[in-house]
């Protein structure tokens, strides 16, 4: 597979879904002639059907940015309905011009215009995409032109799905943070997670991450997967992003129509240097997330930490910390409800390890069977 270059070749082609729109210079559009939203759109309840949490630009394309480049993302939705897009530049240092954009073969507008600026540190939400309605579990292709030069781009490093930058495959997503829809009629959930939620241990393009499998178990649900590989409850990391506590407001509380946040963090606090060996600090971090979620009217569900003996940094001492955290979580005095992920995948003959049938091979990350077991461990009643 060819490496993704930092700057794509200059392009002057017209986006399929924006026929008639020629390439434009990177200047701010004039005052928009905004069409009044329909009454139906006003009454619609937007929820996040697909999401990607951002980190700082630390990979080649993200660091170098694009000039006259095109990024194409293909994403698996959970719920369907009318569609709008959200872009984010949480780690940006200057504005970026976005557009023209196409979603599912339809032109996307921002305040009635084909382009809009996204400010550094801000988000940008499109108009409802005219003529586009999606179904549950649909694949949606979003084609985004970035005239640039953009400078470094906020991104999600690895979605475990195939996208492209100027025709070259990548598993990263640049600027695009969410697809929002109107037809969710089941649980509306955000998963604040780490590499397991993100999908490590599952094949690319298979949509077998446990949040995907949970969405399929719950027809009509909208599931926003906010997993970041290496993420922790307590500490920020230059590569693995801000901690769950640091990013909670931006990644979770900003989502429209959210009812439940599912906290799936903790194993990296233990095993990732500097490891946390005081279980009371991890539990205190959980409790802060619960307080903030409840303050926003959300139900907060937590998960026990899965076994990881066999992983290079596992030690008996860290296993003892894991067991103490899990025992406290199971009491029901930390979260509003608990999914016992530990019990779902552990080997009953050696509880510090995953059951071999669920282990991807590294001791830490479940395989697709393990992800199915995690999804099955979530009680629907806890999500409503």
């Amino acid at each position: 597979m060819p490496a993704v270059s930092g700057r794509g070749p200059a392009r002057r082609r017209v986006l399929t879904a924006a026929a008639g729109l020629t390439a434009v210079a990177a200047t701010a559009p004039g005052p928009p002639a905004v069409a009044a939203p329909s009454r139906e759109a006003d009454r619609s309840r937007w929820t996040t059907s697909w999401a990607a949490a951002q980190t700082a630009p630390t990979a080649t394309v993200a660091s170098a940015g694009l000039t006259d480049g095109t990024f194409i993302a293909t994403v698996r939705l959970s719920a369907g309905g009318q569609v709008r897009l959200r872009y984010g530049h949480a780690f940006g240092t200057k504005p970026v011009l976005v557009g023209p954009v196409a979603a599912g073969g339809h032109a996307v507008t921002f305040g009635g215009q084909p382009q809009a600026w996204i400010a550094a540190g801000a988000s940008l939400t499109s108009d409802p995409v005219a003529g586009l309605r999606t179904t549950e579990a649909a694949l949606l292709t979003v084609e985004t032109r970035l005239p640039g030069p953009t400078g470094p781009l906020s991104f999600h490093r690895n979605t475990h799905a195939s996208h492209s930058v100027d025709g070259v495959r990548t598993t990263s997503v640049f600027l695009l943070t969410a697809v929002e829809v109107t037809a969710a009629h089941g649980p509306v959930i955000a998963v604040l997670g780490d590499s397991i939620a993100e999908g490590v241990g599952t094949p690319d393009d298979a949509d077998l991450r446990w949040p995907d499998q949970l969405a399929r178990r719950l027809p009509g649900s909208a599931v926003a997967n906010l997993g970041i590989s290496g993420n922790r409850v307590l500490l920020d990391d230059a590569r693995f992003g801000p901690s769950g506590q640091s990013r909670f407001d931006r990644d979770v509380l900003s989502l429209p129509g959210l009812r439940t946040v599912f906290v799936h963090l903790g194993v990296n606090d233990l095993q990732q240097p500097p490891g946390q060996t005081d279980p009371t600090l991890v539990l205190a971090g959980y409790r802060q997330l619960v307080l903030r979620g409840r303050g926003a009217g959300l139900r907060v569900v937590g998960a026990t930490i899965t076994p990881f003996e066999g992983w290079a940094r596992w030690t008996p001492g860290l296993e003892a910390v894991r067991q103490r955290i899990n025992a406290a979580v199971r009491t029901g005095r930390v979260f509003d409800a608990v999914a016992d992920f530990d019990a779902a995948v552990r080997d009953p003959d050696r509880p510090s390890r995953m059951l071999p049938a669920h282990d991807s091979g590294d001791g830490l990350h479940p395989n697709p069977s393990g992800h199915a077991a995690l999804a099955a461990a979530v009680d629907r009643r806890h999500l409503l």
Side-chain angles (χ1 to χ4, degrees), residues 161-179:
S162 297
H163 317 291
S164 69
V165 176
D166 290 328
V168 180
R169 182 183 181 271
T170 178
T171 58
S172 298
V173 167
F174 305 90
L175 296 183
L176 184 67
T177 59
V179 177

Side-chain angles (χ1 to χ4, degrees), residues 46-48 50-51 86 177-178 180 188-191 224-226 249-259 298:
W46 292 97
T47 57
T48 302
W50 172 89
R86 183 189 289 197
T177 59
E180 299 174 355
V188 179
I189 310 150
V191 177
N225 187 344
L226 304 172
D249 290 10
R250 179 183 66 249
D251 287 354
V252 176
L253 298 187
S254 66
L255 300 184
L258 188 62
R259 300 177 198 171
L298 302 178

Side-chain angles (χ1 to χ4, degrees), residues 103-336:
H106 297 264
V108 177
T109 59
F110 305 87
Q113 297 298 309
Q115 292 182 297
W117 289 96
I118 179 170
S123 65
L124 172 69
T125 301
S126 78
D127 303 326
V129 181
L132 176 62
R133 291 190 70 88
T134 63
T135 58
E136 292 179 18
L139 277 174
L140 179 69
T141 297
V142 178
E143 188 171 354
T144 303
R145 172 85 178 284
L146 297 172
T150 64
L153 294 168
S154 304
F155 83 133
H156 183 97
R157 178 183 295 272
N158 191 357
T159 63
H160 302 278
S162 297
H163 317 291
S164 69
V165 176
D166 290 328
V168 180
R169 182 183 181 271
T170 178
T171 58
S172 298
V173 167
F174 305 90
L175 296 183
L176 184 67
T177 59
V179 177
E180 299 174 355
V181 300
T182 57
H185 54 84
V188 179
I189 310 150
V191 177
L192 185 71
D194 53 29
S195 58
I196 299 176
E198 186 194 62
V200 175
T202 67
D204 288 354
D205 301 314
D207 301 312
L208 292 175
R209 315 162 193 85
W210 76 258
D212 297 319
Q213 300 198 51
L214 177 65
R216 289 195 288 272
R217 281 186 54 223
L218 305 173
S221 62
V223 180
N225 187 344
L226 304 172
I228 297 177
S229 186
N231 208 225
R232 300 189 251 197
V233 178
L234 300 175
L235 296 181
D236 297 350
D237 186 276
R239 175 182 170 87
F240 301 126
S243 70
Q245 292 191 100
S246 297
R247 66 188 180 100
F248 191 79
D249 290 10
R250 179 183 66 249
D251 287 354
V252 176
L253 298 187
S254 66
L255 300 184
L258 188 62
R259 300 177 198 171
T260 302
V261 56
F262 193 109
V263 178
H264 183 195
L265 295 169
V267 70
N268 292 317
D269 293 80
L270 275 59
Q271 66 84 25
Q272 190 168 289
Q276 180 52 253
T277 58
D278 185 347
T280 64
L281 295 181
V282 176
L283 291 167
Y286 286 158
R287 290 188 176 98
Q288 284 298 309
L289 295 176
V290 172
L291 286 171
R292 290 161 69 186
R294 287 175 179 167
L298 302 178
R299 185 174 182 80
V300 187
V301 179
T304 50
I305 300 173
T306 51
F308 64 101
E309 185 183 355
W311 181 250
R313 290 191 287 268
W314 181 89
T315 67
L318 292 180
E319 176 64 16
V321 176
R322 185 181 76 90
Q323 293 290 354
R324 288 180 62 187
I325 292 170
N326 285 351
V329 167
R330 288 190 183 101
T331 65
R333 297 175 185 172
V334 179
F335 296 100
D336 295 321

Side-chain angles (χ1 to χ4, degrees), residues 15-33:
L15 293 181
T16 301
L21 293 174
T22 56
V24 296
T27 57

